Amino acid sequence: MAGLLRNHWPEYLMEAAGLGLFMISAGLCATLLEHPGSPLHQALPSPVLRRALMGAAMGLTAVAIIHSPWGRRSGAHINPAVTLAFLRLGKVRPADAAFYIAFQCVGGLGGALLVAALLGRRFTSPPIAAIATVPGAAGPAVAFAAELTMAFLLMGMVLVTTNRPGWERFTGVGAGLLVALFITAAAPLSGMSINPARTLASAVPSGLWTGAWIYAMAPPLGMLLAVEVYRRLPGRRPVRCAKLNHDPRSRCIFCGDPACRAPRLINQGGVHAHGPV
C-alpha cells in the first residue's frame, strides 16, 4: 500500500478534488436557487423549475469533471459506489480502491466545509442545510428504492457506453443527463445522492444524519447489481477499464495501458492479465 500511495497519489488527489469541486458547485447553486433571501429564488417561484435548473447545473458540473484533464487521468469515479463496482469487476486493486474511497470522502467534505466557511449559516442552516440528503415525505423505503434505482441506471449506462467502441465519448454526457434528470425528478424522494461520500460531506456541516444508512447502502447495492446484470447480458462487451473517460494522453493506473487496447484483469497481486470480465 505504501508503494501504491507513493506512485498513485496524484490520482487519489484528483479524486478528492473532483468531488470537492462538485460539492462546491452544488453548495453555491443550491444556496442561490433555494435560499429565501436569494433574488433568483424569489424570481423563480416554481420548485420544479428550480430543481430543473439545479439539475442542469450539476449535470454540466459532472460532465466538466469527467472530461477535465484530472477526470481523464483518475477515471472520474468521485463516488465510492463507482469504485466498489469496478473493484467487483477486478479492474481496481483493493488498495487503490481503499485510497480512492478515503480521498473521495475527504475531498467531498473539504468542498462542503469550504462553502460553509464562505456562506455561513445561509448554507448550513435550513432550508439549505448544507444540501443534506434525507428521505422525503414518502419515507425511507421510497428513498432507498429511488437511490438504488438511480445508482443501477447510472452504473448500467457507464458499463454499456464505456465498453462499446465509438460510444465511450458519450459516457460523460450520459452521466450529466442522468444527474440532471435524477435531481429534477427524484430530489423530493431522497435528496438525490447516489454517492455515500457526497452524503457524508453534507451531513457533517449540517448535522443531519437522518436515514444515513440509506445513502451508505443503496448506491453501492444499486451499482453492484448493475455489474451483476451486465456480466450476464448476452453478447455484452468485456469491461475494458475502470475509467469513465479513457484518454490515451493520460496515464492509467488501472489497466497500465494508456490506449487500453485490450481488456485486462487485475489479480490480487496487482499484476495485469488479459481476459474478459
Side-chain angles (χ1 to χ4, degrees), residues 200-235:
L200 174 68
S202 291
V204 172
S206 69
L208 290 177
W209 297 86
T210 306
W213 65 273
I214 295 171
Y215 308 99
M217 294 180 59
L221 286 175
M223 293 197 183
L224 289 171
L225 179 60
V227 166
E228 298 307 318
V229 170
Y230 181 81
R231 294 176 70 180
R232 288 162 176 78
L233 287 177

Side-chain angles (χ1 to χ4, degrees), residues 7-258:
N7 294 323
H8 296 171
W9 65 265
E11 282 78 6
Y12 303 157
L13 286 179
M14 290 169 191
E15 283 292 299
L19 188 54
L21 290 170
F22 188 89
M23 292 304 299
I24 291 170
S25 176
L28 295 176
C29 290
T31 305
L32 185 63
L33 286 166
E34 298 298 342
H35 192 278
S38 166
L40 186 58
H41 176 85
Q42 296 169 6
L44 300 171
S46 170
V48 176
L49 178 57
R50 294 198 303 270
R51 286 202 307 273
L53 290 174
M54 182 71 181
M58 299 321 301
L60 289 172
T61 299
V63 172
I65 292 171
I66 292 169
H67 287 277
S68 70
W70 287 0
R72 294 196 301 266
R73 180 160 167 176
S74 76
H77 294 190
I78 62 172
N79 185 338
V82 173
T83 301
L84 289 173
F86 282 120
L87 175 66
R88 175 69 182 91
L89 286 163
K91 296 300 175 180
V92 179
R93 297 173 180 85
D96 274 329
F99 280 123
Y100 259 48
I101 292 171
F103 275 75
Q104 288 157 1
C105 290
V106 171
L109 180 57
L113 291 176
L114 178 59
V115 179
L118 291 173
L119 300 181
R121 294 183 62 82
R122 285 175 294 177
F123 174 66
T124 58
S125 298
I128 310 302
I131 51 174
T133 54
V134 297
V142 172
F144 187 95
E147 289 290 308
L148 187 144
T149 301
M150 290 186 291
F152 175 86
L153 293 174
L154 179 61
M155 193 65 205
M157 182 279 299
V158 167
L159 291 173
V160 169
T161 58
T162 56
N163 297 302
R164 293 187 68 89
W167 290 26
E168 310 99 314
R169 63 183 182 274
F170 299 117
T171 302
V173 174
L177 288 173
L178 286 178
V179 167
L181 174 63
F182 293 160
I183 290 175
T184 304
L189 302 178
S190 70
M192 213 309 271
S193 171
I194 59 172
N195 186 334
R198 176 258 179 276
T199 292
L200 174 68
S202 291
V204 172
S206 69
L208 290 177
W209 297 86
T210 306
W213 65 273
I214 295 171
Y215 308 99
M217 294 180 59
L221 286 175
M223 293 197 183
L224 289 171
L225 179 60
V227 166
E228 298 307 318
V229 170
Y230 181 81
R231 294 176 70 180
R232 288 162 176 78
L233 287 177
R236 56 95 181 172
R237 302 296 180 95
V239 177
R240 298 171 63 211
C241 189
K243 284 190 172 184
L244 273 65
N245 183 8
H246 208 297
D247 189 328
R249 295 171 295 179
S250 303
R251 83 163 181 173
C252 183
I253 65 173
F254 304 121
C255 69
D257 180 355

